[in-house]
Amino acid sequence: MTLRNIAILGSTGSIGTQTLDICAEYPTLLRPYLLTANRNVELLARQARQFKPQRVIIADESCYPALCRLLEGSEVEVAAGSKAITDAMSDPAIDTVVTAMVGYSGLEPTIAAARHGKVIALSNKETLVVAGELISALAKEHNAPIRPVDSEHSAIFQCLAGESHDSIDRLILTASGGPFRTLTKEQMQSVTKADALHHPNWNMGAKVTIDSASMMNKGFEIMEARWLFDIPADRIDVAVHPQSIVHSMVQFVDGSIKAQLGLPDMHLPIRYALGFPQRLKSDCRKMRISDYSSLTFDEPDPERFPMLRHAYDAIARGGNAPCALNAANEIAVAAFLEEKIRFVDIPDIVGRAVAAATFIERPTYEQLVATNTEVRQSALFLITKE
Ligand code: MG
């Protein structure tokens, strides 16, 4: 393997910082070439001084002067604005783009990366939720391979090595069940932001942690798997597996099942996505199988986790319904994190905002953008009216 130039979109977030850990582990193989962040100038500047990328870009233009000040005297090029991030995807020096930004904001640069035939290490699952059909088609057209960074999809990707598409019977996504797995519907009425942010196994950013607690995350992951592996959603199952050791499984047409196991640590799928097809040797803490004498698997409960039901409904409707679901969820989760609504209000607001959205069966990119704007506004309206 020769040196690869890596663009990390969202380098200051949880996946972004862990991707930089991996780059530091293999300095002769992986070079952080471009780093971008939304608003966190202090951390972005520290990363730039440590890793000396070619360029850094801050999405929020009001942060540009502060970033320039912090990087005065360094040789790193500094730019600002989301357009600059999208434009940077045409740089021929970039080999791999790690899409680690939060939510809908990942859509445009991911489309640009696909158009320029980059290897996409996909962490931003919302882009496939919103525009899976469009992105898969672009990636195919421009020979841009998509390597999953999400642990479940990395597991499936690893299980599929050497297998043909015809051999797949079902995909089985595992889910930890999140912090509220054992709570009754009544107990869930009074859970707090701190409770929801306390994930039992995984250390992740705030948005995905709340999505895990509501199981919206698993709904999104079904959609992500549908597009990554070209398997219809009715052949994708979810198994609640509280130990988070089996990261997902594939059942084949002969009845055999392959599973991928490992400690719940995002460095593993990041390492696999960046090293593929090679496995990169690591001194990381290795799992001892004897420490896990009991691994359990249960059916999920859409009664207690209505967001999972919303996801199945959106999949069944298709068109712009998943895009509407994502938009409503982003607004509702942000309102919950600002403590404007309760945890149990999220499904209600999302359900109403999605039901009110204009349905489009075969949306263009522009129509997806319009759906996103429309549903955000109606979800915001529902929240301020509460
Ligand atoms: Mg996941």
Side-chain angles (χ1 to χ4, degrees):
M1 183 170 152
T2 52
L3 181 72
R4 290 177 185 169
N5 281 331
I6 315 288
I8 307 174
L9 311 185
S11 69
T12 57
S14 172
I15 294 295
T17 53
Q18 294 182 79
T19 303
L20 283 169
D21 294 343
I22 301 297
C23 292
E25 209 178 340
Y26 308 97
T28 58
L29 299 179
L30 306 169
R31 175 188 176 216
Y33 177 88
L34 167 70
L35 304 180
T36 81
N38 185 29
R39 291 187 53 90
N40 192 344
V41 273
E42 281 79 21
L43 182 53
L44 183 61
R46 269 207 306 281
Q47 292 176 336
R49 293 216 178 259
Q50 183 185 348
F51 289 94
K52 301 184 174 50
Q54 182 71 27
R55 303 179 76 188
V56 294
I57 307 175
I58 190 86
D60 186 329
E61 292 176 43
S62 71
C63 301
Y64 180 64
L67 183 60
C68 290
R69 241 183 346 263
L70 287 165
L71 286 176
E72 223 175 80
S74 86
E75 282 179 11
V76 181
E77 294 168 26
V78 182
S82 42
K83 187 173 177 300
I85 297 176
T86 301
D87 290 348
M89 296 301 97
S90 66
D91 186 337
I94 296 171
D95 299 298
T96 302
V97 178
V98 180
T99 65
M101 57 259 283
V102 178
Y104 181 85
S105 68
L107 182 60
E108 242 187 283
T110 307
I111 287 177
R115 280 219 168 92
H116 291 285
K118 305 300 183 193
V119 175
I120 299 173
L122 186 105
S123 166
N124 180 267
K125 68 192 76 173
E126 288 89 341
T127 56
L128 286 188
V129 170
V130 170
E133 191 162 11
L134 199 105
I135 290 174
S136 316
L138 276 176
K140 207 173 269 170
E141 184 187 338
H142 299 280
N143 290 320
I146 302 182
R147 310 261 157 79
V149 168
D150 212 347
S151 60
E152 294 79 0
H153 305 76
S154 175
I156 291 169
F157 187 54
Q158 294 182 53
C159 291
L160 290 178
E163 304 285 355
S164 76
H165 190 263
D166 297 344
S167 303
I168 306 169
D169 180 30
R170 311 186 72 76
L171 306 180
I172 305 160
L173 292 174
T174 53
S176 70
F180 307 142
R181 181 176 56 89
T182 58
L183 298 194
T184 63
K185 252 178 142 175
E186 290 64 42
Q187 287 170 318
M188 262 195 249
Q189 297 289 322
S190 54
V191 297
T192 64
K193 173 179 159 184
D195 296 334
L197 283 174
H198 186 75
H199 195 280
N201 303 341
W202 293 97
N203 181 9
M204 308 177 287
K207 160 82 168 43
V208 62
T209 304
I210 301 304
D211 286 346
S212 289
S214 72
M215 291 198 77
M216 177 79 280
N217 184 54
K218 213 46 60 180
F220 285 162
E221 288 181 353
I222 296 173
M223 303 182 201
E224 184 184 6
R226 188 254 167 276
W227 295 112
L228 280 175
F229 305 112
D230 193 20
I231 294 291
D234 60 2
R235 284 165 56 203
I236 305 174
D237 297 333
V238 173
V240 176
H241 167 54
Q243 298 84 17
S244 295
I245 292 298
V246 173
H247 296 310
S248 276
M249 300 177 252
V250 179
Q251 178 159 310
F252 294 94
V253 288
D254 61 356
S256 181
I257 292 181
K258 273 193 196 173
Q260 186 264 340
L261 288 74
L263 291 172
D265 176 354
M266 287 309 294
H267 291 96
L268 273 66
I270 297 170
R271 200 180 279 117
Y272 190 73
L274 295 183
F276 185 84
Q278 204 174 311
R279 280 194 188 269
L280 303 176
K281 194 170 186 232
S282 175
D283 293 328
C284 66
R285 188 165 77 91
K286 304 274 164 58
M287 177 179 154
R288 284 163 42 134
I289 203 101
S290 53
D291 290 342
Y292 299 90
S293 57
S294 142
L295 298 176
T296 61
F297 303 91
D298 286 300
E299 297 260 320
D301 178 5
E303 269 307 303
R304 284 184 305 126
F305 295 96
M307 296 303 276
L308 207 49
R309 228 179 24 226
H310 284 322
Y312 285 119
D313 290 348
I315 293 167
R317 286 192 85 191
N320 66 340
C323 172
L325 176 65
N326 177 67
N329 181 61
E330 282 191 24
I331 295 296
V333 169
F336 172 67
L337 287 172
E338 289 165 16
E339 299 181 300
K340 287 182 183 155
I341 59 170
R342 295 175 306 157
F343 184 75
V344 287
D345 296 329
I346 297 176
D348 178 50
I349 284 163
V350 168
R352 282 155 65 200
V354 169
T358 319
F359 180 68
I360 304 167
E361 201 173 338
R362 295 196 63 86
T364 61
Y365 173 71
E366 287 70 26
Q367 286 171 322
L368 290 171
V369 173
T371 300
N372 179 60
T373 309
E374 176 199 335
V375 177
R376 278 172 183 267
Q377 277 165 357
S378 66
L380 270 176
F381 177 74
L382 289 169
I383 286 161
T384 42
K385 222 177 58 177
E386 287 286 300

